[in-house]
């Protein structure tokens, strides 16, 4: 933000504007503009209620003149955000023509957020026939995905792999999926000899 700083010497004072910035702040001296905004995580249940005001609050968005610290109006475009898990862009554009895009990760109850690794991971249980196990892509079937959230303004997807051996007999099995730095989630996978699809329960854990 912008803050007045006053200097005094020999009875004379002078006040200047100091802009305090971080890596979420975009500076454009030619347009006398500072624009600050950050990405954020949002539960899927909250997407329908998003408003310009709520997005600005979540992103801590603000813009000001570098010369005097007065606020600059800006537009907020969050039309790309959908009620589907994943990463979406939100763009802020000032009246002076400065624009900044951040990322928003939409999560649901299947997500694990690991603050130690700064990663988010999701996976869900599934059912398949035992004869199909060897050729099956467990990562795809579990919809296993993960993201690096260390920089919320630029959330990046990271790779996920199955680290548990595939089951060799029919039954209910705990299958663990993890990123390269071991952010993990375990789900229940049911393999069958034959018959109807059985209902499964999802179980998750960090380590």
């Amino acid at each position: 933000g912008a803050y007045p700083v006053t200097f005094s010497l020999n009875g004379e004072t002078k006040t200047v504007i100091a802009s305090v910035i971080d890596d979420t702040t975009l500076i454009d001296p030619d347009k006398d503009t500072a624009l600050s905004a950050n990405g954020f995580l949002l539960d899927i249940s909250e997407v329908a209620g998003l408003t310009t005001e709520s997005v600005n609050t979540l992103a801590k968005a603000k813009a000001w003149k570098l010369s005097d610290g007065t606020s600059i109006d800006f537009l907020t475009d969050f039309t790309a955000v959908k009620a589907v898990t994943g990463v979406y862009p939100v763009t802020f554009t000032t009246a002076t023509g400065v624009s900044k895009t951040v990322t928003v990760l939409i999560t649901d109850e299947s997500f694990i957020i690991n603050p130690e690794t700064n990663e988010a991971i999701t996976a869900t249980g599934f059912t398949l026939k035992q004869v199909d196990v060897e050729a099956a892509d467990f990562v795809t079937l579990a919809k296993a995905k993960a993201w690096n959230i260390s920089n919320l303004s630029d959330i990046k997807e990271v790779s996920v792999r199955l680290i548990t051996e595939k089951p060799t007999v029919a039954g209910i099995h705990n299958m663990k999926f993890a990123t390269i730095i071991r952010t993990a989630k375990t789900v229940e996978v049911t393999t069958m000899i034959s018959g109807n699809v059985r209902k499964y329960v999802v179980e998750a854990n960090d380590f």
Side-chain angles (χ1 to χ4, degrees), residues 67-114:
S67 57
D68 61 15
T70 56
S71 297
I72 298 175
D73 291 335
F74 59 89
L75 297 176
T76 303
D77 182 2
F78 58 98
T79 55
V81 180
K82 303 183 184 306
V84 179
T85 57
V87 176
Y88 301 93
V90 174
T91 300
F92 305 90
T93 304
T94 69
T96 56
V98 175
S99 181
K100 178 179 173 66
T101 298
V102 302
T103 46
V104 177
L105 177 60
I106 303 302
T107 67
D108 63 15
E109 68 279 357
S110 72
F111 275 66
I112 291 175
I113 309 299
N114 189 326

Side-chain angles (χ1 to χ4, degrees), residues 110-122:
S110 72
F111 275 66
I112 291 175
I113 309 299
N114 189 326
E116 294 183 359
T117 61
N118 279 319
E119 288 185 334
I121 189 170
T122 180

Side-chain angles (χ1 to χ4, degrees), residues 3 9 12 18-19 26 43 59 64 72 76 87 91 97 106 113 122 132 144-145 148 153 156 170 198 200:
Y3 304 90
L9 180 65
E12 296 185 3
S19 289
L26 178 63
D43 187 86
W64 66 93
I72 298 175
T76 303
V87 176
T91 300
I106 303 302
I113 309 299
T122 180
D132 296 328
K145 292 185 177 182
N148 183 318
S153 292
K156 298 289 189 183
R198 294 169 58 186
Y200 59 82

Side-chain angles (χ1 to χ4, degrees), residues 85 108-112 120-126 138-147 160-162 175-178 183-189 200-205:
T85 57
D108 63 15
E109 68 279 357
S110 72
F111 275 66
I112 291 175
I121 189 170
T122 180
T124 56
F126 59 93
F138 275 40
V139 172
T140 299
L141 291 172
K143 301 177 182 178
K145 292 185 177 182
W147 295 264
V160 177
R161 62 190 178 92
L162 176 67
M175 296 285 105
K176 183 174 289 186
F177 299 87
T183 302
K185 178 169 183 181
T186 300
V187 301
E188 284 191 351
V189 173
Y200 59 82
V201 178
V202 176
E203 177 187 358
N205 71 307

